[in-house]
Amino acid sequence: MHAQLTTQPAPHPDGRPETRAGDPRGRLGATAWILAVVPFLAVQLAVGAAWRTPYSWVRNNISDLGNVHCRTWDASRPRYVCSPLHDLMNASFAAHGALLLAGVLLTGRACWGRGARALTTRLLFLVNAAAWVLVGFVPADVDENLHVLGALGIMGVGNTALLCAAFLPRGALLAAIRPVTFALALLALTAAALFLTRHDPGLGMGTLERLAAFGTDAWVLVAAVTVLRRRRADTP
């Protein structure tokens, strides 16, 4: 008799099978990440275009799009803020965070690896996702302290998560994009430091904030494509 071939993944030493990078949950996680980022960018463009006073991606903060009142805002950099579609923007902030969180939970150990480094990285990405939800529910001109806490979760914890992702265990699928991860982490952390200390090298504070806040978004897009490409490679 011929030995029966099996496509089951090899078990771990503890007897539990590893989740394949291309399993349905992994695909759903990658899809959630894409849905978190691409519509979020489109909403920002639409909300910014609705301003009667021009919205500047170089000078204005991201949070200005979600401010609920029309008034001069921010004593450190006074500017007139009036966002007619602020409800849409705040809903988009919250949805962005929820989808980022879903992506982290749905992508399994084959993507992140095992051990303390992988677990710490995923937990930090979950905090980053929750921070986006917080800034959506608490606009800057409603409760500035809570909103700033959310911003620190995005630019501080989120970019720390990105740096940790550059050191995921060898063999994890997302470790294959280590050079991109490390480059994005350095860029985002540098921009965050400049933004938070108000040192503008000429890029504009709005530009610095976007570089600081969206490094993780750029990374999850690359990660999502990596997971989906692995799925196609695994398909007979």
Side-chain angles (χ1 to χ4, degrees):
M1 294 180 64
H2 295 289
Q4 185 177 3
L5 297 177
T6 177
T7 58
Q8 292 297 320
H12 285 294
D14 62 5
R16 292 178 298 173
E18 180 68 280
T19 303
R20 293 178 65 194
D23 71 358
R25 282 170 56 89
R27 296 199 307 273
L28 285 174
T31 302
W33 276 341
I34 293 171
L35 292 176
V37 176
V38 177
F40 182 55
L41 175 60
V43 169
Q44 289 178 69
L45 292 169
V47 174
W51 281 39
R52 293 183 179 178
T53 54
Y55 178 81
S56 171
W57 284 55
V58 173
R59 295 185 300 274
N60 281 96
N61 286 6
I62 305 166
S63 299
D64 291 352
L65 295 170
N67 277 21
V68 301
H69 303 108
C70 292
R71 65 181 184 184
T72 299
W73 168 251
D74 193 346
S76 62
R77 288 188 296 122
R79 56 195 181 276
Y80 183 71
V81 172
C82 189
S83 185
L85 300 181
H86 58 267
D87 286 337
L88 174 61
M89 191 68 248
N90 289 322
S92 184
F93 284 141
H96 180 62
L99 287 165
L100 288 176
L101 187 147
V104 176
L105 293 176
L106 289 169
T107 46
R109 287 176 177 157
C111 293
W112 299 93
R114 299 171 64 86
R117 280 181 292 168
L119 178 60
T120 299
T121 302
R122 293 181 79 181
L123 288 174
L124 292 174
F125 271 109
L126 290 174
V127 173
N128 169 72
W132 280 110
V133 176
L134 177 60
V135 300
F137 278 100
V138 186
D141 62 343
V142 172
D143 190 326
E144 188 174 11
N145 290 332
L146 272 180
H147 191 87
V148 169
L149 179 64
L152 290 174
I154 293 165
M155 289 186 279
V157 178
N159 290 331
T160 301
L162 196 53
L163 183 61
C164 289
F167 298 96
L168 286 173
R170 184 178 301 177
L173 176 59
L174 297 180
I177 58 173
R178 197 185 310 276
V180 173
T181 306
F182 193 67
L184 287 172
L186 287 181
L187 176 62
L189 285 166
T190 301
L194 291 171
F195 178 79
L196 293 172
T197 58
R198 301 188 182 279
H199 287 88
D200 179 10
L203 297 175
M205 295 299 288
T207 303
L208 287 175
E209 187 188 31
R210 282 167 176 79
L211 290 174
F214 296 151
T216 51
D217 284 3
W219 183 82
V220 298
L221 278 181
V222 176
V225 170
T226 301
V227 173
L228 293 175
R229 287 182 64 186
R230 172 62 178 271
R231 166 57 185 164
R232 287 196 295 270
D234 288 343
T235 302

